[in-house]
């Protein structure tokens, strides 16, 4: 489900069930007997978990031919239809008693009320911005009483991602473990090859493979009309590999291998890992991942698990305003550059406001053209000229989070 490129939200729930003998035998093996890896609080019981009844899928994309080779829910007839609708129809028809509700929207289109109803949220997102937004949403749902976190307000976040033969999965307990923003430096910059480079000026072996995959396959139709490129079909991969070698030879490029060709097609590792963690958290049958796992199948099979640690001054989850160290003579543009270029923040279009002389003042806002034009002169002004002082709090909003973050100016001499 995570391979839909958007979150899957699951709820234990209740509903009409259609049972048959032996339906849950595979689940009972885990839930009706203990073992060396079971959770300390786990008690084997015949009252076994019998599957998730209510699942919500949020995805704004439509199905493309390239999706068919890595997603068992879609068929050629589904090309052009919303992913969420097709996924819901397929699962509802195949799994009796299961109710999947599709939402053909962005995750940002829903508010706190929507997300508060779920027990677990699974993300298989392509975008770091979307990951951070969901991270911020779950942090905003936390309830603190006298500074103590209420455990019942925690909604676990299972996050996974795959690129070629590499993948990762992580379990985040908002307010307790490292959040997405705590480990922002772990995310490499996303690589997208410009179409003009692929088509006209290839420089890398990947450019040659992408050229064959994206442009040559639909043009030459090597296996007939309407046959989509299947990354699991050895004949398809072999054709792409041979054509990529020819393309590489034409431009004197080395490094095209069969293995690299395979790597250009997505893996389902993250889906399986995320599903396993959902089962462990929902059933308490096993101790959940603590809390980050990486997978590498480039040269053999390699997995490694480590505990990502919370940042004491994380701008998203620390509950403490982060200090911004600038001199009074620094310009607001320098603050804006820091917010967008800092590896630990990586904001996209921050809007900065502050309380100056008792009034709330928008110092800069980029997303609304009229306000951006009006506040643009502030970028060339110094912090002192803007009326800001040492210890001043700045409220900063950004597309990477639904929350407004607080920062504190710390003037340097």
């Amino acid at each position: 489900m995570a391979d839909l490129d958007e979150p899957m939200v699951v709820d234990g729930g209740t509903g009409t069930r259609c049972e048959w003998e032996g339906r849950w035998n595979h689940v009972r093996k885990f839930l009706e007997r203990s073992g060396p890896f079971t959770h300390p609080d786990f008690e084997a019981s015949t009252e076994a978990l019998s599957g998730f009844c209510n699942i919500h899928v949020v995805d704004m994309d439509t199905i493309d031919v390239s999706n068919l080779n890595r997603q068992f829910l879609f068929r050629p007839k589904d090309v052009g239809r919303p992913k969420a609708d097709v996924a819901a129809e397929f699962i509802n028809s195949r799994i009796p008693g299961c109710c999947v509700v599709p939402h053909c929207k962005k995750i940002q289109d829903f508010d706190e009320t929507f997300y508060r109803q779920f027990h677990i949220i699974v993300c298989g997102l392509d975008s770091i911005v979307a990951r951070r937004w969901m991270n911020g949403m779950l942090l905003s749902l936390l309830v603190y009483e006298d500074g103590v976190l209420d455990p019942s307000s925690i909604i676990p976040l299972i996050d996974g991602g795959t690129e070629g033969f590499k993948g990762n999965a992580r379990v985040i307990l908002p307010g307790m473990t490292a959040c997405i923003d705590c480990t922002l430096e772990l995310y490499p910059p996303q690589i997208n090859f410009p179409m003009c480079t692929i088509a006209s000026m290839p420089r890398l072996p990947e450019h040659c493979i992408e050229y064959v995959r994206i442009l040559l396959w639909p043009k030459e139709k090597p296996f007939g009309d309407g046959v989509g490129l299947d990354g699991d079909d050895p004949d398809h991969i072999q054709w792409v590999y041979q054509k990529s070698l020819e393309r590489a030879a034409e431009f004197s490029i080395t490094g095209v291998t069969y293995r690299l060709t395979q790597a250009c097609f997505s893996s389902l590792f993250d889906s399986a890992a995320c599903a396993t963690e959902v089962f462990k958290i929902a059933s308490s049958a096993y101790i959940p991942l603590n809390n980050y796992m990486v997978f590498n199948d480039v040269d053999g099979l390699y997995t490694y698990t480590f505990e990502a640690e919370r940042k004491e001054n994380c701008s998203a989850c620390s509950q403490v305003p982060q200090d911004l160290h600038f001199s009074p003579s620094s310009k607001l543009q320098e603050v804006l550059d820091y917010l967008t270029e800092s590896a630990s923040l990586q904001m996209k279009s921050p809007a900065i406001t502050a309380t100056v002389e008792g009034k709330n003042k928008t110092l800069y806002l980029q997303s609304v053209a009229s306000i951006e034009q009006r506040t643009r002169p502030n970028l060339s002004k110094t912090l002192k000229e803007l009326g800001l002082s040492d210890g001043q709090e700045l409220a900063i909003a950004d597309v990477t989070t639904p929350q407004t973050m607080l920062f504190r100016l710390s003037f340097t001499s």
Side-chain angles (χ1 to χ4, degrees), residues 28-183:
R28 292 193 176 97
K29 291 179 182 178
F30 293 99
L31 299 180
E32 294 184 8
R33 60 188 186 187
S34 60
F37 302 108
T38 53
H39 193 284
D41 299 328
F42 173 73
E43 293 183 8
S45 171
T46 56
E47 298 178 1
L49 175 75
S50 56
F52 294 104
C53 295
N54 301 320
I55 303 173
H56 288 242
V57 179
V58 183
D59 195 307
M60 62 180 291
D61 289 342
T62 56
I63 298 168
D64 186 76
V65 172
S66 64
N67 300 136
L68 301 181
N69 73 300
R70 64 180 187 273
Q71 178 51 259
F72 57 84
L73 300 176
F74 306 149
R75 300 293 182 268
K77 64 181 177 61
D78 300 320
V79 171
R81 294 189 60 201
K83 289 182 177 180
D85 284 351
V86 175
E89 290 175 7
F90 186 99
I91 297 171
N92 288 336
S93 65
R94 191 177 182 91
I95 311 297
C98 186
C99 177
V100 180
V101 181
H103 302 278
C104 304
K105 296 181 178 181
K106 298 192 298 183
I107 59 172
Q108 295 92 336
D109 291 339
F110 298 95
D111 60 13
E112 292 185 359
T113 303
F114 176 78
Y115 289 109
R116 199 185 299 274
Q117 67 181 307
F118 301 109
H119 295 141
I120 303 173
I121 291 182
V122 185
C123 280
L125 297 156
D126 290 335
S127 165
I128 301 301
V129 172
R131 274 187 169 90
R132 296 177 67 187
W133 190 92
M134 181 59 72
N135 179 71
M137 170 56 72
L138 297 185
L139 288 170
S140 73
L141 300 180
L142 297 178
V143 175
Y144 291 86
E145 297 180 3
D146 298 325
V148 179
L149 176 62
D150 179 0
S152 66
S153 66
I154 298 174
I155 301 177
L157 173 63
I158 315 298
D159 180 62
T162 300
E163 183 174 342
F165 286 108
K166 299 177 183 178
N168 72 82
R170 64 187 303 182
V171 174
I172 296 172
L173 302 179
M176 294 182 62
T177 63
C179 74
I180 296 290
D181 282 48
C182 285
T183 56

Side-chain angles (χ1 to χ4, degrees), residues 247-311:
R247 177 77 171 173
E250 182 181 349
F251 290 89
S252 301
I253 297 172
T254 60
V256 173
T257 64
Y258 186 86
R259 185 75 171 171
L260 181 62
T261 305
Q262 285 181 305
C264 289
F265 298 88
S266 296
S267 164
L268 290 179
F269 158 77
D270 63 311
S271 303
C274 289
T276 299
E277 294 308 317
V278 170
F279 173 81
K280 288 156 67 175
I281 290 177
S283 67
S284 295
Y286 293 85
I287 299 174
L289 174 67
N290 186 29
N291 50 35
Y292 202 110
M293 177 171 64
V294 294
F295 171 90
N296 191 323
D297 190 22
V298 175
D299 299 306
L301 182 63
Y302 173 78
T303 61
Y304 177 70
T305 303
F306 66 93
E307 181 181 359
E309 297 183 358
R310 288 188 69 185
K311 270 189 178 179

